[in-house]
């Protein structure tokens, strides 16, 4: 998810926006997270775990694609809302599963999840910076969207296999 770190610079460079305006636009991501928090109970009841992960991955992909292809800056605010909602749908589903990986060692399981998550973000931001310099912002956003959608699909596939075997 390291590509998220480059959205602000992209908006400044592509649309000539001030960093103050970019900061206000980036609130859309947090608003998506707040929307998830407000409706999480209903979303879980309607979609279930696999549905949350699937829709979350699809929203992340749609958000990153919309940012990469946005014809005007205004489209990005909605894309950030979708991106935030999708991110929290997927992340929280993965995090809940992390607490169930090793019931006798939940602390260790959550620590391993958090370490992987933050190390992955750091590596993603590092790689994203090198790729932005080499090929530009849009391909980095598209790659991040595809990668996270693939992660969601893999998670759902593994859950279906595990539930089918039970």
């Amino acid at each position: 998810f390291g590509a998220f770190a480059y959205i602000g610079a992209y908006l400044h460079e592509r649309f000539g926006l001030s960093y103050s305006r970019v900061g206000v636009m980036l609130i859309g991501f947090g608003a998506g997270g707040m929307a998830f928090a407000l409706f999480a109970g209903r979303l879980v009841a309607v979609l279930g775990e696999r549905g949350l992960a699937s829709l979350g991955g699809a929203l992340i992909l749609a958000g990153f694609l919309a940012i990469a292809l946005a014809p005007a800056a205004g489209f990005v605010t909605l894309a950030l809302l979708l991106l935030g909602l999708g991110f929290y749908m997927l992340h929280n589903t993965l995090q809940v599963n992390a607490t169930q990986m090793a019931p006798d060692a939940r602390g260790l399981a959550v620590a391993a999840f958090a370490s992987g998550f933050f190390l992955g973000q750091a590596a993603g931001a590092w790689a994203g910076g090198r790729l932005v310099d080499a090929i530009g912002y849009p391909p980095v956003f598209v790659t991040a969207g595809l990668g996270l959608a693939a992660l969601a699909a893999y998670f759902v596939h593994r859950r279906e296999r595990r539930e089918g075997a039970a």
Side-chain angles (χ1 to χ4, degrees):
F1 200 70
F4 181 78
Y6 298 97
I7 293 172
Y10 171 70
L11 293 172
H12 175 73
E13 185 178 303
R14 168 118 189 258
F15 300 110
L17 302 175
S18 70
Y19 284 114
S20 297
R21 178 138 182 239
V22 167
V24 170
M25 290 175 69
L26 289 172
I27 291 171
F29 182 85
M34 290 299 296
F36 175 76
L38 287 170
F39 300 108
R42 287 187 216 150
L43 289 169
V44 170
V46 171
L47 299 173
E49 187 174 73
R50 290 182 296 179
L52 276 176
S54 295
L55 183 56
L59 290 174
I60 291 169
L61 176 58
F64 270 127
L65 288 175
I67 291 166
L69 303 172
F75 289 94
V76 176
T77 302
L78 177 60
L80 285 163
L81 182 70
L82 295 175
L83 189 59
L85 177 60
F87 174 79
Y88 285 101
M89 289 171 78
L90 178 59
H91 177 269
N92 286 344
T93 304
L94 295 174
Q95 190 170 32
V96 164
N97 276 267
T99 66
Q100 300 166 4
M101 285 190 299
D104 294 334
R106 286 190 204 281
L108 179 61
V110 173
F113 173 81
S115 294
F117 179 77
F118 291 115
L119 290 171
Q121 270 193 301
W126 173 81
R130 297 182 66 83
L131 288 170
V132 161
D133 289 343
I135 60 177
Y137 294 99
V140 171
F141 297 146
V142 170
T143 301
L146 289 170
L148 286 161
L151 172 67
Y154 177 74
F155 171 80
V156 170
H157 171 72
R158 296 288 298 181
R159 290 295 300 177
E160 288 172 348
R161 281 187 56 202
R162 189 172 352 156
E163 289 170 8

Short mmCIF file of all heavy atoms in Angstrom, two decimals, residues 30 48 51 53 63 85 95 99 102 107 138 140 158-159:
data_model
loop_
_atom_site.label_atom_id
_atom_site.label_comp_id
_atom_site.label_asym_id
_atom_site.label_seq_id
_atom_site.Cartn_x
_atom_site.Cartn_y
_atom_site.Cartn_z
N GLY A 30 -9.69 9.21 4.92
CA GLY A 30 -10.14 9.05 6.30
C GLY A 30 -11.64 8.99 6.40
O GLY A 30 -12.20 8.24 7.22
N GLY A 48 -20.62 -10.43 4.95
CA GLY A 48 -19.79 -11.48 5.54
C GLY A 48 -18.31 -11.17 5.31
O GLY A 48 -17.94 -10.19 4.66
N GLY A 51 -17.22 -11.35 1.58
CA GLY A 51 -17.77 -10.21 0.84
C GLY A 51 -17.06 -8.92 1.18
O GLY A 51 -16.80 -8.10 0.30
N ALA A 53 -13.92 -8.61 2.14
CA ALA A 53 -12.60 -8.66 1.49
C ALA A 53 -12.73 -8.46 -0.02
O ALA A 53 -11.97 -7.69 -0.61
CB ALA A 53 -11.90 -9.98 1.80
N GLY A 63 -10.53 2.75 -6.74
CA GLY A 63 -9.99 4.02 -6.25
C GLY A 63 -8.66 4.36 -6.88
O GLY A 63 -8.45 5.48 -7.36
N LEU A 85 -12.61 3.51 2.13
CA LEU A 85 -13.61 2.51 2.50
C LEU A 85 -13.11 1.10 2.17
O LEU A 85 -13.15 0.20 3.00
CB LEU A 85 -14.93 2.79 1.78
CG LEU A 85 -16.06 1.79 2.03
CD1 LEU A 85 -16.43 1.71 3.50
CD2 LEU A 85 -17.27 2.16 1.18
N GLN A 95 -7.11 -8.26 9.62
CA GLN A 95 -6.70 -8.11 11.02
C GLN A 95 -7.48 -9.04 11.94
O GLN A 95 -6.92 -9.65 12.85
CB GLN A 95 -6.87 -6.66 11.45
CG GLN A 95 -6.26 -6.34 12.78
CD GLN A 95 -6.27 -4.85 13.04
OE1 GLN A 95 -7.16 -4.12 12.59
NE2 GLN A 95 -5.27 -4.38 13.76
N THR A 99 -5.99 -12.28 14.43
CA THR A 99 -6.23 -12.60 15.84
C THR A 99 -6.62 -14.06 16.01
O THR A 99 -6.57 -14.58 17.12
CB THR A 99 -7.33 -11.72 16.46
OG1 THR A 99 -8.59 -12.01 15.85
CG2 THR A 99 -7.00 -10.25 16.31
N ALA A 102 -3.44 -17.93 15.69
CA ALA A 102 -2.87 -18.76 16.76
C ALA A 102 -3.59 -18.40 18.06
O ALA A 102 -3.12 -17.54 18.80
CB ALA A 102 -1.37 -18.51 16.88
N GLY A 107 -1.28 -12.46 20.88
CA GLY A 107 -0.37 -11.32 20.86
C GLY A 107 0.72 -11.48 19.81
O GLY A 107 1.02 -10.56 19.06
N PRO A 138 0.93 7.18 -12.47
CA PRO A 138 -0.22 6.31 -12.80
C PRO A 138 0.10 4.81 -12.82
O PRO A 138 -0.67 4.03 -12.24
CB PRO A 138 -0.69 6.82 -14.16
CG PRO A 138 -0.35 8.29 -14.12
CD PRO A 138 1.00 8.31 -13.42
N VAL A 140 2.21 3.22 -11.08
CA VAL A 140 2.41 2.79 -9.69
C VAL A 140 1.05 2.62 -9.01
O VAL A 140 0.82 1.64 -8.29
CB VAL A 140 3.30 3.79 -8.93
CG1 VAL A 140 3.34 3.50 -7.45
CG2 VAL A 140 4.71 3.78 -9.52
N ARG A 158 -8.59 -18.59 -0.34
CA ARG A 158 -8.10 -19.41 0.77
C ARG A 158 -9.20 -19.67 1.80
O ARG A 158 -9.31 -20.76 2.33
CB ARG A 158 -6.89 -18.76 1.44
CG ARG A 158 -5.67 -18.64 0.55
CD ARG A 158 -5.02 -19.94 0.29
NE ARG A 158 -4.57 -20.49 1.57
CZ ARG A 158 -3.93 -21.64 1.69
NH1 ARG A 158 -3.65 -22.35 0.65
NH2 ARG A 158 -3.57 -22.08 2.88
N ARG A 159 -10.03 -18.66 2.06
CA ARG A 159 -11.14 -18.84 3.01
C ARG A 159 -12.15 -19.85 2.46
O ARG A 159 -12.63 -20.69 3.20
CB ARG A 159 -11.85 -17.51 3.30
CG ARG A 159 -11.06 -16.51 4.10
CD ARG A 159 -10.77 -16.97 5.49
NE ARG A 159 -12.01 -17.21 6.21
CZ ARG A 159 -12.07 -17.67 7.43
NH1 ARG A 159 -10.99 -17.96 8.09
NH2 ARG A 159 -13.24 -17.86 8.02
#
